[in-house]
Amino acid sequence: MSKAQFIAGQWLEGQGHSMTSVDPAKKQVIWQASSATAEQVEQAVKAARQAFLPWAEFSFDERLAFVKRFAELLGEHKDELALVIARETGKPLWETATEVAAMIGKVAISERAYQERTGTVENPMPQGRAFIRHKPHGVVAVFGPYNFPGHLPNGHIVPALLAGNTVIFKPSELTPMVAQKTLELWEKAGLPAGVINLVQGEVETGKALASHPGIDGLFFTGSSRTGKLLHEQFGGHPGKILALEMGGNNPLLVKDVSDIDATVHDIVQSAFVTSGQRCTCSRRLFIEQGPKGDAILARLLDVTRQIKVGDYDAQPQPFMGAMISARAAAQMVAAQQQLLNLGATSLVEMQHLDPESGFVTPGILDVTAIIDQLPDEEHFGPLLKVIRYSDFDQAIEQANNTVFGLSAGLLSDDAELYQHFFRRIRAGIVNWNRPITGASSAAPFGGIGESGNHRASAYYAADYCAYPVASVELEQSVMPGTLNPGLTF
Ligand SMILES: NC(=O)C1=CN([C@@H]2O[C@H](COP(=O)(O)OP(=O)(O)OC[C@H]3O[C@@H](n4cnc5c(N)ncnc54)[C@H](O)[C@@H]3O)[C@@H](O)[C@H]2O)C=CC1
């Protein structure tokens, strides 16, 4: 049993029910502990509140020194952390190494973002000095998803701490071991007690934290379903900051390309990387009808059938590892069946390779015939839906026919067509001849519609981690040269 709760600088056993984490590739229990109760969440909020003022009173450079030490420790422990992420998520080691690298890279980017987006500005004025400064919100909760259990929570935690907030982190219940490892590194970095706290548990722990009156904000990355629940819960609390990074039903359009292999590579990288478990993954692929489209589709089917799926530590490395759980894999196969029942045609069948594991092969369906009945849902796995179109503008209209709006892309040699597409498509990430996954931490990261609430993360995370304060300041009160009418001194 692990002491999995980190509260006020102490590792504590949870007082709730027992939790386990299962390696979805090797099917072994790799972690066991007890969840945090509502009382322990309360302790964590108290600890974060007590730590807030001293932490906020440190200078930016002092806070930065702690965060840089964390980045150094990530570097020293990068192989160990990459292995923990691989074991808990099933993602291949080549990919989890890039996740740890992104966590390290986040620190320098967040430092720059803090200065550029929330630094201090002095404006000239006739009398006194005018300042724009930024202050931390206070105690913030960070909720993380399972697909990038290190990098995505880190994308909230690092800018939150730099801005002077204290944090209570509630990771996904599917990736508690990664959270524990990460917090051990924060502890080693010497953060004062209470500045970062970890509460592990399932939905009830999440609810206890999200509904706690003592938090000043909540930064969430996860499903639209949960994000919407939180949005409702935060209704009537305009004083609390809520940043939601949620799912997508992302379209990728293809027209007039000369290099078929390069195009297919961008499609595969968009649809199947991380076994389709990225919020930016392409779910819908629009290919023109006719021989040119046929050739692209034929090559895509051919390459997809050859994608290597395997253990995270296999040599040579597979492109796709296991999905997060046997349950998630079974749900994807069920989603495929549901679309087949509606009248979709299977082009490459997704298969659950072993019902006890998270391994699935990638699948492709032609859904052209059922476009009007297509459920507008995020299928969070390696299942790509192909739509054959004859009119490009209609294809854009269909691409926009979603409640989501996270990422979208065009694969085409035609620069003017891209401008046309860019003006019409609705999404927070719009790419041209590049995969629609792999968004940069140095750019804003967020979507419109049900993909987010206009609080983009990554480079723009600095914005939701602090509030602006406008001040006009003068050493002492001075009588103005002219008085307003009606005043007598
Ligand atoms: N836009 C973005 O930046 C990203 C979005 N995602 C989305 O995340 C999803 C996959 O992640 P999941 O872990 O399945 O998301 P999830 O919504 O199931 O869980 C996220 C977090 O919320 C907590 N939670 C769940 N129900 C709750 C409730 N009722 N009250 C309070 N807390 C609750 C969970 O314990 C977890 O910590 C996908 O939909 C994906 O698109 C994933 C990565 C990035």
Side-chain angles (χ1 to χ4, degrees), residues 143-147 152 170-173 201-203 206-207 210 220-226 229-230 245-248 279 378 380 406 445 451:
F143 282 66
Y146 62 74
N147 64 333
L152 290 172
K170 154 69 181 85
S172 165
E173 54 272 41
E202 288 150 355
V203 174
K207 283 185 176 163
F220 171 84
T221 302
S223 65
S224 290
R225 189 184 50 77
T226 309
L229 285 175
L230 292 169
E245 316 301 330
M246 304 182 286
C279 55
E378 178 187 53
F380 203 61
L406 186 56
F445 184 68
S451 296

Side-chain angles (χ1 to χ4, degrees), residues 207-220:
K207 283 185 176 163
L209 179 57
S211 62
H212 198 290
I215 59 168
D216 300 299
L218 191 155
F219 308 155
F220 171 84

Side-chain angles (χ1 to χ4, degrees), residues 75-317:
E76 287 164 24
H77 294 265
K78 64 181 191 314
D79 295 339
E80 191 188 330
L81 185 59
L83 180 60
V84 172
I85 300 174
R87 290 178 72 203
E88 205 158 45
T89 61
K91 296 197 286 187
L93 283 165
W94 67 264
E95 208 191 325
T96 58
T98 65
E99 177 163 355
V100 179
M103 291 173 77
I104 298 170
K106 181 62 75 179
V107 171
I109 288 172
S110 303
E111 176 188 356
R112 185 158 65 80
Y114 176 86
Q115 303 292 7
E116 289 178 6
R117 297 193 64 79
T118 55
T120 299
V121 175
E122 183 179 346
N123 286 320
M125 61 181 305
Q127 215 171 25
R129 304 161 79 193
F131 289 98
I132 302 168
R133 300 191 186 96
H134 294 83
K135 287 201 197 192
H137 297 289
V139 174
V140 297
V142 169
F143 282 66
Y146 62 74
N147 64 333
F148 279 88
H151 166 52
L152 290 172
N154 192 56
H156 296 303
I157 291 170
V158 166
L161 292 178
L162 285 179
N165 301 283
T166 53
V167 170
I168 301 148
F169 173 33
K170 154 69 181 85
S172 165
E173 54 272 41
L174 297 173
T175 51
M177 194 164 79
V178 175
Q180 188 169 331
K181 266 275 159 270
T182 310
L183 264 283
E184 283 168 10
L185 298 182
W186 278 115
E187 183 188 16
K188 257 196 182 161
L191 275 192
V195 169
I196 187 165
N197 304 273
L198 171 69
V199 291
Q200 303 253 29
E202 288 150 355
V203 174
E204 67 281 16
T205 307
K207 283 185 176 163
L209 179 57
S211 62
H212 198 290
I215 59 168
D216 300 299
L218 191 155
F219 308 155
F220 171 84
T221 302
S223 65
S224 290
R225 189 184 50 77
T226 309
K228 276 160 76 174
L229 285 175
L230 292 169
H231 195 252
E232 278 167 25
Q233 202 172 313
F234 273 63
H237 296 281
K240 290 183 197 273
I241 181 104
L242 177 67
L244 300 173
E245 316 301 330
M246 304 182 286
N249 188 9
N250 311 308
L252 184 58
L253 284 76
V254 188
K255 185 171 168 58
D256 300 334
V257 294
S258 47
D259 188 334
I260 292 185
D261 268 5
T263 300
V264 167
H265 175 266
D266 285 348
I267 296 170
V268 164
Q269 194 68 27
S270 299
F272 300 134
V273 71
T274 321
S275 299
Q277 299 168 109
R278 291 199 191 193
C279 55
T280 43
C281 273
S282 172
R283 309 293 175 202
R284 295 174 295 146
L285 176 68
F286 293 81
I287 300 184
E288 205 172 5
Q289 276 169 359
K292 282 198 219 155
D294 291 348
I296 294 163
L297 187 55
R299 186 71 178 127
L300 173 64
L301 303 188
D302 181 35
V303 170
T304 302
R305 287 190 189 103
Q306 294 179 59
I307 286 177
K308 300 269 183 305
V309 180
D311 272 341
Y312 51 79
D313 54 356
Q315 289 302 337
Q317 281 270 274

